[in-house]
Amino acid sequence: MKQSIAALLVSCLLFLSSSASVSAEKWSKLPAPQWTQGTGSDYLEVKKDIHVLPNKKTVYMHMQDEKVYTKAWPYDTLKAVDLDTGKIKWTYHFYKAGIGYFNTDNSFLYAPNGTVYAYFEWENVLFSIHASGKENWMIRLPDQGKMHLMKDGTLLHVVSTSSKAGEETSTVYGYNKEGKQLFKKLIKGTVAKVSDTLIIVENHSASFTDFKADIYNSSMNRVFRYNFPQGSYTDLSYSLLLSNGNIIFRANLNKTGNRLIALSSKGKVLWGRDIPGNSEIIAAGDNYMVYLNKTVSLYNTKGLVAKQTFSNLNTEIPIYPLAEITGDDNILLNLRTAQYVLDQKKLSVLQEFVLNDTDAEIIYYNDNTVFSHLKKANKIAKYKLK
């Protein structure tokens, strides 16, 4: 009798899961947008780089202009746009007399208080823009590199100083929110991955047979080192840094092949799992996903949580999945030719976007509010799905 009841419960759960999947909203064409923003020109680029501040009813947009300071050289601007109406609140133009006009393909960095940091490799300058649209400061940096904003407000500027195999070094500069340099540290290795709290640095031998992962905090103090088994191969740029602080390494081990190794933020090994060599891994909040042959599998620390197969997915072109946690705590999954909003616990499909206009890419989702980047039209559009 107990077995019969258990079987019935499992059947009901499977039915409910199936019903949830069937009831997903499918979009081949989005409704008319509530509003759009663009440059009004084919060659003044609208970047995919947006940042939504729901509590301030503001959307930051990164796009080019030429009208204010020049008719010949495009330069970047930061626009603050009203979330409800699409009207421009203010625009900051990245131009400095005597220096020139600034452009970058890098995304800007956005602090929780509305401050925006914009780094430009050309002339190596870093701007801080206040939430009111006024410039806080601009500083020149020592060399070209990568800029990161940490959770504690520290700005890290990472510069590769040696690329010789087995002898790589990096110099990391730390700045506070006032633009004052806090430290300059030379470290052995290459900075491979950065979250808002941790930095992964890869060190390997000249023969690429001995790999180490050094984990640093935002002050560039080493928290721990992980030594991979002798003869392993890894590329730590494919590591996952989860929102709970856990770290997942992927390595090809000498005898067992591809394997995932999970560590806590303090360096404790949590688990190891074998993984197909032709699969892709994606961070999803506190958990992670594995993509293989049109199927996405969701895992937590204990193991497999749920699977979802996208049978109609177009795989004629390579798919390198991307995912992010939405404002309403779901997963926005980008599978190149299609995009999905998935329940973070069951992986059931809530929204499916297989848009006829292949140049329309969903770049933001929260509670049925959608932003799309229209590449051909060179615009950002806002939609309300219900």
Side-chain angles (χ1 to χ4, degrees):
M1 177 65 72
K2 288 182 179 179
Q3 289 180 342
S4 299
I5 292 172
L8 180 61
L9 286 171
V10 170
S11 298
C12 290
L13 287 171
L14 288 173
F15 173 77
L16 288 171
S17 177
S18 173
S19 300
S21 180
V22 170
S23 64
E25 293 283 349
K26 297 184 178 181
W27 303 90
S28 60
K29 184 179 180 180
L30 293 172
Q34 287 189 328
W35 52 260
T36 63
Q37 269 291 345
T39 60
S41 169
D42 292 336
Y43 66 92
L44 294 174
E45 187 181 3
V46 175
K47 320 275 185 175
K48 287 196 295 186
D49 178 18
I50 71 167
H51 183 71
V52 182
L53 296 169
N55 59 329
K56 295 181 181 292
K57 293 288 185 181
T58 299
V59 185
Y60 286 140
M61 294 186 178
H62 178 184
M63 59 183 68
Q64 292 183 326
D65 199 352
E66 66 173 4
K67 297 184 289 293
V68 174
Y69 294 107
T70 174
K71 298 290 185 182
W73 300 100
Y75 56 88
D76 284 1
T77 65
L78 171 67
K79 294 183 184 295
V81 177
D82 186 275
L83 179 61
D84 295 326
T85 66
K87 293 182 178 179
I88 297 173
K89 295 181 176 181
W90 52 258
T91 301
Y92 182 86
H93 301 263
F94 290 101
Y95 161 77
K96 284 290 182 182
I99 303 178
Y101 312 98
F102 298 96
N103 288 281
T104 184
D105 290 326
N106 295 327
S107 295
F108 294 154
L109 302 173
Y110 303 95
N113 65 356
T115 300
V116 180
Y117 300 98
Y119 169 62
F120 297 92
E121 302 94 328
W122 182 76
E123 292 291 340
N124 293 314
V125 296
L126 176 65
F127 287 84
S128 171
I129 309 302
H130 191 270
S132 64
K134 305 296 183 182
E135 181 184 310
N136 291 320
W137 45 260
M138 184 203 84
I139 59 173
R140 286 184 177 274
L141 302 176
D143 208 340
Q144 286 191 3
K146 300 292 184 182
M147 186 66 60
H148 304 277
L149 175 61
M150 310 304 285
K151 189 175 183 178
D152 62 6
T154 303
L155 290 151
L156 296 183
H157 185 55
V158 179
V159 178
S160 175
T161 46
S162 172
S163 57
K164 184 178 179 180
E167 299 179 20
E168 293 91 344
T169 58
S170 303
T171 300
V172 182
Y173 301 84
Y175 298 86
N176 65 14
K177 63 182 180 179
E178 282 79 35
K180 178 183 177 183
Q181 184 174 312
L182 300 174
F183 58 81
K184 172 188 175 182
K185 294 190 178 181
L186 178 67
I187 59 171
K188 186 176 184 301
T190 302
V191 174
K193 199 93 174 190
V194 181
S195 72
D196 60 359
T197 57
L198 296 175
I199 299 93
I200 298 178
V201 175
E202 179 177 315
N203 275 291
H204 56 77
S205 61
S207 60
F208 291 89
T209 56
D210 181 25
F211 283 86
K212 299 177 178 66
D214 290 323
I215 311 303
Y216 291 82
N217 60 21
S218 61
S219 299
M220 291 310 296
N221 295 318
R222 195 170 76 180
V223 181
F224 67 89
R225 165 174 282 184
Y226 177 78
N227 293 285
F228 288 86
Q230 188 68 31
S232 304
Y233 178 81
T234 187
D235 181 345
L236 292 182
S237 65
Y238 290 102
S239 303
L240 303 181
L241 289 162
L242 306 184
S243 56
N244 58 9
N246 290 346
I247 304 163
I248 298 178
F249 297 132
R250 180 175 186 167
N252 188 26
L253 304 187
N254 201 17
K255 295 181 179 180
T256 57
N258 266 248
R259 189 164 177 80
L260 299 182
I261 304 162
L263 288 84
S264 74
S265 60
K266 302 298 182 184
K268 179 184 177 181
V269 177
L270 303 175
W271 51 258
R273 290 176 190 152
D274 293 334
I275 186 173
N278 60 339
S279 62
E280 300 285 341
I281 58 172
I282 321 110
D286 289 344
N287 304 322
Y288 73 97
M289 297 185 291
V290 176
Y291 172 79
L292 179 65
N293 298 331
K294 298 185 178 184
T295 297
V296 172
S297 303
L298 178 69
Y299 292 84
N300 61 18
T301 54
K302 296 180 180 179
L304 179 66
V305 175
K307 284 188 176 183
Q308 184 64 250
T309 298
F310 305 97
S311 56
N312 296 324
L313 191 65
N314 179 3
T315 56
E316 293 179 358
I317 58 176
I319 294 175
Y320 302 104
L322 298 172
E324 61 183 82
I325 302 301
T326 64
D328 54 2
D329 211 29
N330 292 305
I331 300 171
L332 176 60
L333 177 66
N334 188 336
L335 295 179
R336 188 79 179 268
T337 59
Q339 293 168 272
Y340 303 87
V341 178
L342 307 174
D343 181 276
Q344 192 177 172
K345 296 179 180 178
K346 306 177 200 173
L347 218 60
S348 54
V349 179
L350 306 177
Q351 305 279 357
E352 178 180 348
F353 304 97
V354 185
L355 304 178
N356 292 330
D357 181 358
T358 56
D359 286 310
E361 181 181 356
I362 307 299
I363 56 175
Y364 174 88
Y365 178 91
N366 181 21
D367 193 22
N368 294 310
T369 295
V370 170
F371 281 89
S372 177
H373 179 253
L374 307 173
K375 188 173 181 180
K376 281 186 178 178
N378 204 27
K379 290 180 179 179
I380 298 291
K382 181 199 173 187
Y383 309 85
K384 197 69 177 175
L385 299 185
K386 288 184 180 180

